[in-house]
Amino acid sequence: MRAAREDLFYLIEPLLPQVEKPSRYLDHEWGSTRPSGDFHVCLMYPDTYEVGLPNMGLAILYRELNRCEGLSCERAYLPWVDMATLMRERGVPLLALESAAPVASFDVVGFTLAHEMACTNIIEALDLAGIAVRACERDEDDAIVLGGGPSVWNCEPVAPIFDAVLLGDGEEALPQMCLAIRDARRRGATRAQILGELAQIQGVYVPSLYDVVVDETSTRWGYAVPKPGSGAPERVLKRVVADFAGTDPLPSAPVPYLNVVHDRLAIEVLRGCARGCRFCQAGITYRPVRERPAEQVIAACERGLGATGYEEVSLTSLSTTDHSQCAQILTTLNDQLEDEGVRVSIPSQRLDSFGVEMAQAVSSGKKGGLTFAPEAGSQRLRDVINKNVTEQDLERAVRNAFELGWRRCKLYFMMGLPTETDDDIRAITRLAERVMEIGREVVPKGQRGGLSVSISVAVFVPKSHTPFQWAGQLSLDEVRRRQRLLLVSCGDRAVRISYHDAETSLLEAVLSRTGRATFELIYRAWELGAKMDAWTDQFDFATWQQAAADCGFDLEAIASEPLPLDARLPWEHTSPGVSRGFLEREWRRAHEGVTTADCTMTSCTGCGICQATGADIVLAGER
């Protein structure tokens, strides 16, 4: 039975003096919405307030749902461990932010699947709310629990949690889903009937309507097929907003009471990326590329800054400097904001001189640090991953940066990429040393005090719907060996080296490439205390090892196992529109060291997404 809708903030208020950052739990931020509809939706970000508030996807959906007549949308975030402990001790349920009503009292509860490591947080949130964790255990009038976001593309490990999962863009689809649920409830439809209707909406996957089959054509995790008579599609195709410029670029932007991870106004300038890095899931799942016109972006910045008072605006996307009108947008914004003390930022620099020029355009005279992502140290391996940049590109970019006044440079790499050798590891440090050498050539001796080059090396994680989905991950011992090799191969003490935790990356690989049976591992880890695993000080690999032992899982074997190229994979029934033939072709081209061009700059490369989704590439200007 759903909880009664009432303001229970009086239960939370006595706890605030006892917890860290009590402003995480306060409502009525400037710019928040006062919902008025009679069908109630709660959007839940499964992490703390300061991580979830800046999430653009949630902010966009919050805006769209509250614009729908009859719908009322509120937000909820996961309490930090201190508050969660007190709430359990005092019997206080998880509450929505705006009304302090129990999350369990809402008609729909929607979770953002931001990354794989949030899986136990979703269970924690449902348990705190008093909602059954497994969809099959919910009563007829319990909230419909939805999932969506960037990590839905292999949602099988968490599929037992969700009544339905939305694949792709949500601006149009989520309101349609919520209205369908509302109308079905008013007709007196059963829960099963509601889920059957949701399954007919493009982009909506209803896990309970599918069986998992394990046979000689599959991996050990099987593949999903519609249950006989369910009416569910064999393949659920993602939802795409074809007219991206027809949507409002300004998300709902409540101004928080405390510092959050991205404390600024964010405007999405384009969606999608066609550069074709073979490890990158987002580069497949957000296609096709759709740009906003420069004048729309500029107007949204003006409106947003006026409504929020922020002193920084970030132009966000997977690759902002690829926008065909990037220079025009930055020039105009700088001219308009020059005397207002507002800084314009872009989240990443293209690895060429244009990227540095755009960084110069937004620096406002302040030279912090520039970040580039060569991803691999050797040209051979950059061709394998289809990075389509050369060492000369990097050298020209960093030389340009040092000449323009930058003194700090950070380089991102990965280790464990398919075909990688020890020589490729050594090439990482050689490249970093060459960047430092260029800095010393350019920067006069008396000004080198702030000169620094740092490298950050992540462990490659194979992701679904990418050309590298069939690859295995390095074992823990091999990751550590290569990390030691990285350290000893660097001869320049001025180059600073950091690398990601191997155990976290291993677990991410397990959660990225398995099937529905993995839910029992996740649930057991939560029972043993796993939560907030994306926070370094909270992650405990030993907890997951114990859960794996209890469930009969070998985490390292699962993560490192290559998948057969001809096997049916656990996630192929949920599709971003890419053809399997394209992924297989890119896998073969990777092993041949053959690159594939960016289709927005040349011609169609045959990924199949435009044809499958009926959406086209939309550029605002000429590239």
Side-chain angles (χ1 to χ4, degrees):
M1 296 289 291
R2 264 183 288 167
R5 288 192 55 79
E6 57 178 317
D7 186 333
L8 299 183
F9 187 73
Y10 69 90
L11 296 177
I12 289 287
E13 194 166 12
L15 308 182
L16 297 181
Q18 305 176 56
V19 300
E20 177 185 327
K21 298 183 181 179
S23 51
R24 286 167 167 157
Y25 312 104
L26 302 179
D27 64 345
H28 293 80
E29 312 109 309
W30 177 266
S32 62
T33 301
R34 295 291 163 263
S36 58
D38 60 0
F39 187 82
H40 301 281
V41 182
C42 182
L43 293 181
M44 173 82 202
Y45 193 91
D47 209 314
T48 61
Y49 175 90
E50 62 265 34
V51 176
L53 181 88
N55 181 267
M56 178 166 283
L58 189 145
I60 289 170
L61 297 177
Y62 180 70
R63 176 199 68 203
E64 292 301 316
L65 289 171
N66 278 314
R67 285 179 175 177
C68 284
E69 186 176 351
L71 298 187
S72 168
C73 181
E74 301 182 35
R75 296 162 292 143
Y77 306 94
L78 188 64
W80 186 244
V81 289
D82 55 356
M83 177 62 91
T85 300
L86 287 172
M87 290 169 69
R88 283 199 167 90
E89 289 175 358
R90 308 288 177 86
V92 179
L94 184 63
L95 306 178
L97 198 65
E98 282 82 356
S99 66
V103 169
S105 70
F106 283 74
D107 299 291
V108 171
V109 177
F111 283 88
T112 299
L113 279 66
H115 51 79
E116 289 82 2
M117 298 302 290
C119 58
T120 53
N121 286 1
I122 299 171
I123 297 176
E124 173 78 352
L126 289 169
D127 185 70
L128 278 172
I131 298 173
V133 170
R134 293 175 175 84
C136 63
E137 296 175 356
R138 292 180 196 129
D139 291 334
E140 275 295 322
D141 65 345
D142 280 343
I144 300 291
V145 178
L146 308 178
S151 287
V152 297
W153 299 105
N154 178 22
C155 60
E156 286 305 289
V158 292
I161 294 173
F162 294 105
D163 292 302
V165 177
L166 173 61
L167 310 176
D169 297 339
E171 291 98 323
E172 298 166 350
L174 185 58
Q176 182 182 359
M177 294 170 69
C178 292
L179 291 172
I181 296 168
R182 182 198 66 180
D183 294 345
R185 289 279 199 200
R186 289 177 176 175
R187 294 195 312 268
T190 65
R191 195 176 191 88
Q193 289 170 334
I194 292 171
L195 298 184
E197 291 183 25
L198 288 177
Q200 303 309 308
I201 299 173
Q202 183 181 330
V204 180
Y205 167 48
V206 178
S208 62
L209 301 184
Y210 293 76
D211 287 324
V212 175
V213 176
V214 180
D215 61 22
E216 67 280 357
T217 71
S218 72
T219 68
R220 73 172 86 175
W221 308 105
Y223 56 91
V225 295
K227 291 180 177 178
S230 67
E234 290 187 10
R235 186 180 77 146
V236 182
L237 180 64
K238 75 173 181 182
R239 195 68 171 264
V240 177
V241 174
D243 183 15
F244 183 55
T247 65
D248 189 343
L250 186 64
S252 173
V255 180
Y257 294 121
L258 75 163
N259 290 331
V260 296
V261 292
H262 301 297
D263 203 4
R264 52 185 176 256
L265 176 69
I267 301 295
E268 187 182 18
V269 300
L270 69 90
R271 191 169 293 177
C273 177
R275 286 192 165 255
C277 297
R278 291 173 176 138
F279 58 83
C280 181
Q281 188 181 65
I284 292 291
T285 58
Y286 283 100
R287 292 187 185 189
V289 172
R290 291 147 289 158
E291 295 181 350
R292 293 192 185 281
E295 58 273 15
Q296 187 183 46
V297 173
I298 294 162
C301 291
E302 293 173 351
R303 282 195 294 135
L305 291 169
T308 62
Y310 277 114
E311 296 178 348
E312 180 179 351
V313 58
S314 177
L315 306 179
T316 67
S317 74
L318 292 173
S319 185
T320 295
T321 47
D322 279 342
H323 193 293
S324 59
Q325 296 178 318
C326 183
Q328 177 186 341
I329 292 170
L330 292 175
T331 300
T332 304
L333 285 176
N334 279 331
D335 289 345
Q336 293 182 355
L337 301 174
E338 184 177 8
D339 300 323
E340 297 184 22
V342 175
R343 180 173 180 266
V344 182
S345 66
I346 50 179
S348 60
Q349 281 77 49
R350 227 163 69 180
L351 220 166
D352 57 18
S353 293
F354 180 77
V356 176
E357 290 166 10
M358 293 304 96
Q360 173 78 357
V362 301
S363 67
S364 302
K366 300 175 183 178
K367 300 294 192 297
L370 279 187
T371 299
F372 298 105
E375 309 293 1
S378 69
Q379 189 59 49
R380 182 199 70 81
L381 194 52
R382 283 194 293 274
D383 289 344
V384 167
I385 66 176
N386 205 51
K387 188 63 183 176
N388 279 320
V389 296
T390 66
E391 189 163 332
Q392 290 70 37
D393 292 329
L394 177 62
E395 288 191 7
R396 281 193 294 267
V398 297
R399 185 177 295 277
N400 191 16
F402 288 133
E403 288 173 348
L404 289 171
W406 272 276
R407 297 295 178 261
R408 299 199 310 273
C409 182
K410 187 169 187 177
L411 306 175
Y412 281 110
F413 297 92
M414 281 187 283
M415 69 166 51
L417 290 160
T419 80
E420 183 182 80
T421 66
D422 284 1
D423 284 343
D424 296 310
I425 297 294
R426 297 186 187 99
I428 292 175
T429 54
R430 284 199 300 272
L431 195 58
E433 290 167 349
R434 176 57 183 150
V435 171
M436 178 59 81
E437 183 181 317
I438 292 171
R440 291 176 178 135
E441 291 173 6
V442 172
V443 181
K445 274 190 176 182
Q447 301 175 24
R448 293 179 188 168
L451 184 63
S452 72
V453 174
S454 61
I455 60 177
S456 178
V457 186
V459 179
F460 162 71
V461 177
K463 297 283 187 174
S464 64
H465 303 291
T466 70
F468 287 172
Q469 65 183 355
W470 293 282
Q473 191 182 58
L474 295 180
S475 68
L476 284 177
D477 285 345
E478 183 59 17
V479 169
R480 290 166 182 150
R481 185 191 73 80
R482 296 192 195 189
Q483 288 173 340
R484 290 193 296 271
L485 175 61
L486 182 75
L487 293 174
V488 302
S489 66
C490 186
D492 191 331
R493 292 186 177 181
V495 175
R496 292 176 291 183
I497 300 173
S498 64
Y499 44 74
H500 288 201
D501 175 62
E503 293 170 340
T504 304
S505 299
L506 182 146
L507 184 57
E508 187 180 346
V510 170
L511 298 172
S512 295
R513 64 201 314 260
T514 55
R516 203 172 292 191
T518 307
F519 177 71
E520 297 309 318
L521 166 70
I522 297 169
Y523 191 83
R524 181 59 182 147
W526 171 77
E527 287 183 318
L528 293 172
K531 60 180 74 73
M532 296 292 185
D533 286 314
W535 295 72
T536 304
D537 62 342
Q538 298 297 311
F539 178 68
D540 182 6
F541 188 56
T543 299
W544 284 91
Q545 288 177 306
Q546 182 60 58
D550 293 349
C551 297
F553 282 53
D554 183 332
L555 298 179
E556 281 203 68
I558 292 168
S560 61
E561 179 185 21
L563 302 180
L565 196 61
D566 60 351
R568 298 183 69 170
L569 301 174
W571 49 80
E572 290 186 308
H573 60 295
T574 52
S575 173
V578 66
S579 75
R580 184 180 176 118
F582 173 80
L583 297 179
E584 290 177 354
R585 185 166 71 248
E586 286 295 291
W587 173 249
R588 290 191 294 269
R589 288 169 72 90
H591 285 80
E592 296 164 0
V594 178
T595 61
T596 300
D598 181 334
C599 65
T600 65
M601 300 181 184
T602 55
S603 59
C604 178
T605 55
C607 74
I609 294 175
C610 290
Q611 293 81 0
T613 61
D616 293 321
I617 294 170
V618 179
L619 304 181
E622 294 295 325
R623 283 190 177 179

